[in-house]
């Protein structure tokens, strides 16, 4: 039947309607329903419109709200400190507890610290796989990974670092470095490369620790092979800011 129609021949009279002929009205009805649903959903707009401007605006609004909340939290913390200091003048147990807390504020990272140190900067490669004539590397070989940042951080601690920041954000005992794609997440903030790590301590000792760290050596090899960025800068007098984020510990695992 279909072959006859394709050739322009009329079907024989009295022949039964094919299943396709019977289904045409149903298909037309379904198409009309689909068009109506799309029009209602779009509400006068194109469903394929680029929504990135709206997402950018939403992100900006969320950041503004976060900034307001952080400012409010800082003000409340200042009020708590003032009330604690006032109460410590007349309450001996509060005074003792306050003095004990002050004694551990610096090693815990809650005060700014200034002194000599070293800054390490890690960056993605400006090259892409197509830039290599042969043996093109995977794109993962051309970006800084979480393990690369952690290798530098651990080496600096091992080299005697007294305080440290990543992207000018103070790192403390509960800090966790996470990477998503080629972005770094730290204390709820998102950073793009290059990633700057600054540590206060004896520069020579920290430099030796970097040289002996396996993860750092592997990254330096990738610098030579794939064009990744790695620099070290000795700081004669650098300031590491105090930690001002949340002190809540969400999870922990006992050492074995």
């Amino acid at each position: 039947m279909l072959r006859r129609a394709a050739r322009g021949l009329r079907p024989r009279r009295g022949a039964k309607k094919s299943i396709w002929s019977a289904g045409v009205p149903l298909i037309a009805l379904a198409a009309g329903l689909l068009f109506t649903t799309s029009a209602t959903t779009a509400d006068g707009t194109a469903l394929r419109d680029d929504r990135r401007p709206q997402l950018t605006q939403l992100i900006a609004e969320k950041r503004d709200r976060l900034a307001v909340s952080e400012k409010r939290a800082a003000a409340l913390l200042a009020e708590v400190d003032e009330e604690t200091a006032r109460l410590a003048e007349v309450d001996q147990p509060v005074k003792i507890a306050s003095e004990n807390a002050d004694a551990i504020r610096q090693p815990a990272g809650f005060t700014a610290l200034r002194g000599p140190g070293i800054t390490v900067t890690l960056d993605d490669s400006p090259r892409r796989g197509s830039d290599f004539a042969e043996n093109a590397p995977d794109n993962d070989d051309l970006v800084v990974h979480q393990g690369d940042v952690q290798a530098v951080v651990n080496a600096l601690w091992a080299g005697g670092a007294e305080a440290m920041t990543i992207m000018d954000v103070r790192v403390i005992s509960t800090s966790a470095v996470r990477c998503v794609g080629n972005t770094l997440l730290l204390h709820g903030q998102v950073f793009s490369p290059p990633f700057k790590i600054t540590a206060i301590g004896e520069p020579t000792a920290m430099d030796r620790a970097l040289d002996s760290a396996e993860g750092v050596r592997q990254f330096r090899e990738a610098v030579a092979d794939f064009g990744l960025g790695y620099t070290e800068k000795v700081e004669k007098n650098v300031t590491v800011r105090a930690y001002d984020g949340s002190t809540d510990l969400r999870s922990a695992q006992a050492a074995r």
Side-chain angles (χ1 to χ4, degrees):
M1 187 70 71
L2 291 176
R3 190 175 294 111
R4 286 175 177 270
R7 294 177 179 176
L9 300 178
R10 295 178 62 185
R12 290 175 295 172
R13 290 187 180 184
K16 295 181 180 181
K17 293 184 178 180
S18 71
I19 189 172
W20 296 105
S21 300
V24 168
L26 295 177
I27 295 174
L29 178 62
L33 180 61
L34 179 60
F35 293 149
T36 302
T37 303
S38 298
T40 303
T41 303
D43 193 23
T45 64
L47 288 176
R48 293 181 179 270
D49 278 351
D50 188 354
R51 300 299 177 89
R52 283 176 294 181
Q54 292 92 325
L55 291 175
T56 300
Q57 181 180 359
L58 178 62
I59 292 172
E61 291 175 354
K62 292 293 185 180
R63 285 179 175 173
D64 291 341
R65 292 178 184 176
L66 178 61
V68 172
S69 298
E70 289 178 342
K71 185 176 181 180
R72 176 60 177 163
L76 291 174
L77 287 174
E79 291 181 11
V80 171
D81 290 341
E82 291 178 2
E83 287 297 318
T84 301
R86 182 187 63 79
L87 188 58
E89 295 178 354
V90 296
D91 191 306
Q92 186 65 17
V94 173
K95 180 180 180 180
I96 294 174
S98 180
E99 290 175 348
N100 291 337
D102 289 340
I104 62 174
R105 286 180 65 85
Q106 179 173 326
F110 291 94
T111 60
L113 196 63
R114 187 173 183 84
I118 192 170
T119 294
V120 178
T121 304
L122 309 177
D123 199 3
D124 292 349
S125 172
R127 307 169 71 181
R128 290 296 176 259
S130 58
D131 296 335
F132 294 83
E134 56 183 14
N135 297 326
D138 190 279
N139 285 335
D140 284 343
D141 295 326
L142 306 177
V143 298
V144 180
H145 292 280
Q146 176 178 317
D148 302 324
V149 177
Q150 290 175 332
V152 171
V153 169
N154 291 337
L156 292 172
W157 286 130
E162 301 174 22
M164 192 181 306
T165 61
I166 301 177
M167 303 300 285
D168 295 323
V169 176
R170 184 68 176 265
V171 176
I172 61 173
S173 59
T174 57
S175 300
V177 176
R178 295 287 184 270
C179 284
V180 177
N182 69 333
T183 61
L184 182 146
L185 307 180
L186 180 63
H187 298 312
Q189 301 183 61
V190 182
F191 303 98
S192 297
F195 302 129
K196 184 179 71 171
I197 306 163
T198 298
I200 287 182
E202 208 288 305
T204 302
M206 291 191 291
D207 182 65
R208 284 198 299 264
L210 289 168
D211 290 340
S212 61
E214 179 64 24
V216 178
R217 288 204 303 268
Q218 291 178 357
F219 187 83
R220 288 173 175 174
E221 291 174 0
V223 170
D225 293 338
F226 307 123
L228 291 159
Y230 180 91
T231 61
E232 291 181 22
K233 178 184 177 183
V234 174
E235 307 282 2
K236 293 183 178 180
N237 198 15
V238 64
T239 299
V240 169
R241 59 183 295 185
Y243 177 74
D244 57 1
S246 172
T247 58
D248 293 341
L249 180 62
R250 298 185 179 181
S251 62
Q253 182 175 355
R256 295 180 180 180

